[in-house]
Amino acid sequence: MAVHALGVRRPLLPWVETTPCRYCQTRTMIPLISVTGLCKSFPGVRALHDIQFELMAGEVHALMGENGAGKSTLMKILAGVYTRDTGEILCEGKPVDFQSPRDAQAMGFGIIHQELQLMNHLTVAQNIFIGREPRGRLGLFLDEDKLNAQARDILAHMHVRIDPRAIVGELTVASQQMVEIAKALSFDSRVLIMDEPTSALNDAEIAELFRIIRQLRDRGVGIIYISHKMDELKQIADRVTVLRDGEYVATVTAKDTSVEAVIGMMVGRTLTDVTPFQGAKNTGEIALEVRHLTAGPLVRDVSFTLRKGEILGFAGLMGAGRTEVARAVFGADPVESGEILVKGAKAVIRTPGDAVARGIGYLSEDRKRFGLATGMDVESNIVMSNLPKFLSFNFFLRRAQIRKTASHFINLLAIRTPSATQQVRLLSGGNQQKIVIAKWLERDCDVLFFDEPTRGIDVGAKSEIYKLLRALATEGKAIVMISSELPEILRMSDRIVVMCEGRITGELSASEASQERIMHLATRRESLEAA
């Protein structure tokens, strides 16, 4: 028996018995993974061409690139989700050919997907150990007590407070992300692929994840780390490989390469949109007013106003209630008490349809679950929120108008797709996010809730979305932006509302806001106790 890195005792995997820790013992120069000449195409899309990549044991190797650069495709090949067309993959100098994820797992390869791969109807513990559940003496029945205890041990060593018996579908996206990480760590992998693992985590959770990564690296685990958060490079990465448009660009040492240089390699151009947003300076008509809104444990007596032409940022830690406020205003969750006023008139909003009719749109943080029909094509998703506009005699689809509208937004948002008829599920996460934005822009709502609008989006696409938000505010749209990234909140907001445990604990103007002041308000529990 061996003790797992996080304290769970489980049988030794074959690689543990034969492979010493190269990071802290005599280090071999044979790469843990070596990829050369790798190519992969999908119908109408050349995803990868002549890719090379190398990972050493005991190394955190960051893989960078814009959405559509081929990062996730390369990782899915290494994880056995996809098979390569051509090229060679060596594991410790020996050719490997994974035909399924099970093949990759048997060789000690684990992956944390950008899009969560969890079963919402099962518990946290069942998701972590699915297919490997402990059984009783006769081997017929699951040992639920042991299952929950093992899951609780992993979560405790991650310093995550999640009940292993909780149903995954009832958790927030951030909590589901931590379950996904726990699931990957439970395999005791020698190669761990992390695809945007911090996209839904707050600063404290990210710090804890980095602690776990360093612990695994010191044991000799090779970690491939994909992220669009440039500040994470210097904190965690040893080397950085950059892909662009499905091709290899360069591999550099993280400590010796500036963030600006990496960005330049990623986008192939200089980004000029780096100045803080000064705001629309619009103090005119109130577009939305919320008074004493209560909706469940995470929305308690919430009041705020939103004016035309401004961006109102909502900040707070995980579980603060920001998403829940947006869902309650949008009619996605029931409201217990309080009032919602649109343009000064009281609005009765019981369903999302009521909200849309009042000119309110909501871009969810979970695009696949609430924002897209991934089995449908791009153009259908874009016009979905305003379908009657594209019907003749309330029955026949006006295909030419649909195609023209879709083409407009594909060009406006630089959505990378072979055509407007491409299935959304075949596009990268960032391009899927742009399609959700296009859907609400086509509806031309006056009030827009953007919940984590740049989650899983690369630095170039972020710049484009920032410009888009500025343009919408300039046109007079009223925007609520919920974000877990404080630099983003500070950069884009006219005013910032801060929440903690379901209540608003403060409001800051753009001129007086800082990361320190926001974090103080986000942890201000004394105001809750006095309420």
Side-chain angles (χ1 to χ4, degrees):
M1 298 290 288
V3 179
H4 185 275
L6 297 176
V8 180
R9 295 187 65 85
R10 57 192 302 276
L12 275 169
L13 293 176
W15 67 267
V16 177
E17 298 174 343
T18 59
T19 305
C21 175
R22 299 179 183 82
Y23 187 81
C24 53
Q25 299 182 30
T26 302
R27 189 169 184 176
T28 179
M29 296 305 294
I30 300 177
L32 193 55
I33 298 175
S34 179
V35 174
T36 55
L38 191 143
C39 298
K40 178 67 178 178
S41 295
F42 299 99
V45 179
R46 189 184 73 171
L48 298 173
H49 176 68
D50 197 23
I51 297 296
Q52 60 183 3
F53 180 79
E54 183 183 84
L55 175 71
M56 304 300 292
E59 174 188 33
V60 178
H61 195 141
L63 187 63
M64 309 295 292
E66 292 189 276
N67 286 110
K71 307 181 303 296
S72 295
T73 300
L74 174 58
M75 293 306 99
K76 287 178 180 178
I77 290 173
L78 293 178
V81 178
Y82 297 154
T83 57
R84 66 188 184 274
D85 295 338
T86 59
E88 185 177 51
I89 302 174
L90 303 180
C91 182
E92 294 183 319
K94 298 179 181 179
V96 292
D97 185 17
F98 301 144
Q99 297 297 314
S100 69
R102 186 177 294 274
D103 291 344
Q105 288 173 1
M107 288 290 293
F109 285 50
I111 183 170
I112 301 170
H113 294 275
Q114 178 182 357
E115 304 296 343
L116 302 178
Q117 306 289 309
L118 300 173
M119 296 188 179
N120 289 334
H121 64 288
L122 298 181
T123 68
V124 170
Q126 289 166 347
N127 268 279
I128 292 175
F129 291 103
I130 191 164
R132 303 170 292 140
E133 301 88 344
R135 298 182 179 273
R137 291 184 178 180
L138 298 178
L140 298 177
F141 302 101
L142 297 182
D143 189 334
E144 291 285 349
D145 291 338
K146 189 175 181 180
L147 177 71
N148 291 328
Q150 290 182 350
R152 189 176 291 109
D153 283 345
I154 292 178
L155 295 168
H157 281 83
M158 290 174 61
H159 297 184
V160 173
R161 295 183 179 180
I162 300 176
D163 187 347
R165 299 166 298 180
I167 301 299
V168 162
E170 298 174 359
L171 301 178
T172 64
V173 173
S175 294
Q176 290 178 3
Q177 183 79 61
M178 298 305 287
V179 174
E180 188 78 82
I181 293 169
K183 178 180 176 181
L185 294 179
S186 72
F187 282 97
D188 201 12
S189 304
R190 61 169 167 172
V191 174
L192 187 57
I193 302 166
M194 295 187 168
D195 193 352
E196 297 286 350
T198 65
S199 60
L201 306 184
N202 61 37
D203 290 345
E205 292 160 341
I206 290 172
E208 186 57 33
L209 174 63
F210 285 176
R211 181 192 68 81
I212 295 169
I213 289 175
R214 293 186 183 102
Q215 177 181 330
L216 293 169
R217 179 182 63 186
D218 292 347
R219 290 182 56 246
V221 176
I223 297 172
I224 303 173
Y225 191 88
I226 302 175
S227 177
H228 291 130
K229 298 180 179 179
M230 304 304 297
D231 59 307
E232 294 179 357
L233 285 182
K234 297 293 184 181
Q235 297 183 58
I236 202 66
D238 298 308
R239 287 193 294 167
V240 180
T241 288
V242 179
L243 303 182
R244 185 170 69 239
D245 297 329
E247 297 189 354
Y248 173 81
V249 177
T251 298
V252 295
T253 304
K255 67 178 181 179
D256 298 328
T257 308
S258 68
V259 169
E260 290 75 16
V262 174
I263 292 174
M265 289 186 285
M266 287 172 55
V267 302
R269 63 188 186 277
T270 301
L271 294 179
T272 57
D273 183 31
V274 295
T275 57
F277 183 31
Q278 298 302 316
K281 308 300 182 186
N282 194 319
T283 58
E285 178 184 346
I286 294 177
L288 176 70
E289 184 176 1
V290 175
R291 298 176 180 172
H292 308 292
L293 187 69
T294 296
L298 289 180
V299 183
R300 312 303 297 174
D301 194 28
V302 169
S303 299
F304 65 92
T305 59
L306 175 67
R307 296 181 181 275
K308 285 186 176 181
E310 79 167 342
I311 298 178
L312 178 64
F314 263 67
L317 302 177
M318 186 184 78
R322 299 164 300 160
T323 293
E324 287 75 11
V325 168
R327 288 178 56 84
V329 173
F330 190 63
D333 292 335
V335 172
E336 298 172 19
S337 62
E339 290 183 329
I340 299 172
L341 287 80
V342 180
K343 297 179 181 179
K346 185 176 180 180
V348 178
I349 299 176
R350 295 190 177 93
T351 67
D354 295 336
V356 173
R358 291 281 187 170
I360 301 174
Y362 172 52
L363 187 148
S364 170
E365 64 174 335
D366 191 344
R367 57 180 171 260
K368 289 188 69 175
R369 188 175 176 189
F370 298 117
L372 294 168
T374 57
M376 297 177 69
D377 57 33
V378 173
E379 62 182 25
S380 297
N381 274 271
I382 289 176
V383 304
M384 188 180 298
S385 65
N386 203 15
L387 193 58
K389 173 183 173 182
F390 299 93
L391 295 178
S392 295
F393 305 107
N394 293 321
F395 185 77
F396 298 102
L397 288 173
R398 300 164 65 181
R399 288 290 182 184
Q401 187 180 0
I402 291 174
R403 191 65 49 83
K404 181 179 178 180
T405 299
S407 178
H408 167 71
F409 284 108
I410 288 171
N411 293 328
L412 176 68
L413 301 180
I415 299 172
R416 294 186 180 181
T417 177
S419 72
T421 58
Q422 177 80 314
Q423 283 193 346
V424 168
R425 66 180 181 84
L426 298 177
L427 301 182
S428 67
N431 285 303
Q432 290 178 355
Q433 185 79 320
K434 290 182 182 181
I435 292 169
V436 181
I437 295 174
K439 178 179 71 173
W440 290 116
L441 292 183
E442 203 292 319
R443 180 73 196 194
D444 196 25
C445 294
D446 296 319
V447 176
L448 289 165
F449 283 83
F450 285 84
D451 195 349
E452 304 288 357
T454 63
R455 177 177 175 243
I457 290 181
D458 62 72
V459 63
K462 278 187 179 182
S463 178
E464 294 168 3
I465 289 176
Y466 293 154
K467 290 178 181 178
L468 174 62
L469 292 179
R470 295 182 185 186
L472 290 172
T474 301
E475 292 174 7
K477 302 296 185 184
I479 297 172
V480 173
M481 187 182 73
I482 301 168
S483 176
S484 298
E485 298 187 34
L486 291 185
E488 182 170 85
I489 283 283
L490 291 167
R491 175 182 184 177
M492 295 299 299
S493 305
D494 294 299
R495 290 183 295 128
I496 300 171
V497 170
V498 187
M499 294 189 67
C500 178
E501 296 184 7
R503 297 181 185 271
I504 291 178
T505 53
E507 180 182 310
L508 302 168
S509 66
S511 60
E512 64 185 358
S514 66
Q515 293 197 36
E516 292 75 16
R517 296 193 70 173
I518 292 174
M519 287 305 298
H520 172 72
L521 292 171
T523 56
R524 192 178 173 184
R525 300 194 73 255
E526 62 268 21
S527 64
L528 305 178
E529 295 166 359

